[in-house]
Amino acid sequence: MRFLWGKDTALTYLCLMGIWLGLDVGAVRTGLAESDPTHSMAFPVGTHRTAEIIAYLAAHYREADLAGLVLGLPKDLMGRETEGSQHARALGEKIQSLWPSLPMHWTDERYTSKMAAQAAHSAGAKSRVKKDKGMLDAASACLILDSFLTQKNRP
């Protein structure tokens, strides 16, 4: 990583901490979110085809720039893993082989898509935006990551 503001500044230290990535894994699309360097906020990045997500991650991120990964784990209403859980775990294994030293955390992703749609509605989004599954997947990844960061940063 190249810094323009000097070697021993607080900003340099924060950037060296790396960011967390959050993923909302689906059969077709995977939503992606990033934390800020202080690990206090999550931001939606976008959505990519699940079949191509490993290539995307390898091309756009370096292990040294990351603090870890948070993947949403689909569960049914009773809290049991589903077929979607198997897809997510298989992708998690591939990501872990890409970046073996990074910590990987799983979080329950129940209701994140519904919460993302409700947030879009509450914000006054137009109906075409609320129906944009890619935007909702990225927002869901953001909620997954934000939930993890909130728990991680509790005193």
Side-chain angles (χ1 to χ4, degrees):
M1 194 176 286
R2 191 166 169 237
F3 302 107
L4 300 176
W5 47 82
K7 274 176 44 177
D8 298 320
T9 66
L11 190 55
T12 300
Y13 173 74
L14 288 175
C15 290
L16 290 174
M17 290 172 51
I19 61 169
W20 284 88
L21 290 182
L23 287 87
D24 177 26
V25 180
V28 177
R29 288 174 311 279
T30 296
L32 186 63
E34 295 179 353
S35 77
D36 67 325
T38 66
H39 307 161
S40 58
M41 294 184 288
F43 302 95
V45 174
T47 308
H48 304 280
R49 291 176 33 89
T50 299
E52 300 166 356
I53 193 68
I54 296 295
Y56 176 83
L57 292 173
H60 290 86
Y61 297 96
R62 294 180 322 148
E63 187 172 15
D65 297 334
L66 300 173
L69 302 148
V70 181
L71 281 81
L73 188 61
K75 294 186 177 183
D76 65 16
L77 294 176
M78 301 297 290
R80 298 176 299 226
E81 292 194 13
T82 65
E83 188 177 326
S85 305
Q86 295 170 358
H87 282 310
R89 287 199 183 277
L91 182 63
E93 288 176 14
K94 291 177 184 175
I95 294 171
Q96 196 73 70
S97 66
L98 176 65
W99 297 316
S101 67
L102 283 183
M104 182 179 294
H105 297 274
W106 296 92
T107 188
D108 186 348
E109 71 162 26
R110 280 181 286 181
Y111 308 115
T112 55
S113 295
K114 188 170 287 235
M115 289 168 39
Q118 287 175 342
H121 177 75
S122 296
K126 303 226 183 276
S127 66
R128 68 178 159 71
V129 172
K130 291 186 271 188
K131 293 178 184 174
D132 180 350
K133 293 184 189 286
M135 187 275 304
L136 293 177
D137 288 339
S140 294
C142 192
L143 290 170
I144 289 165
L145 181 56
D146 184 64
S147 171
F148 169 79
L149 293 173
T150 299
Q151 288 182 337
K152 179 180 152 310
N153 292 329
R154 278 196 181 140

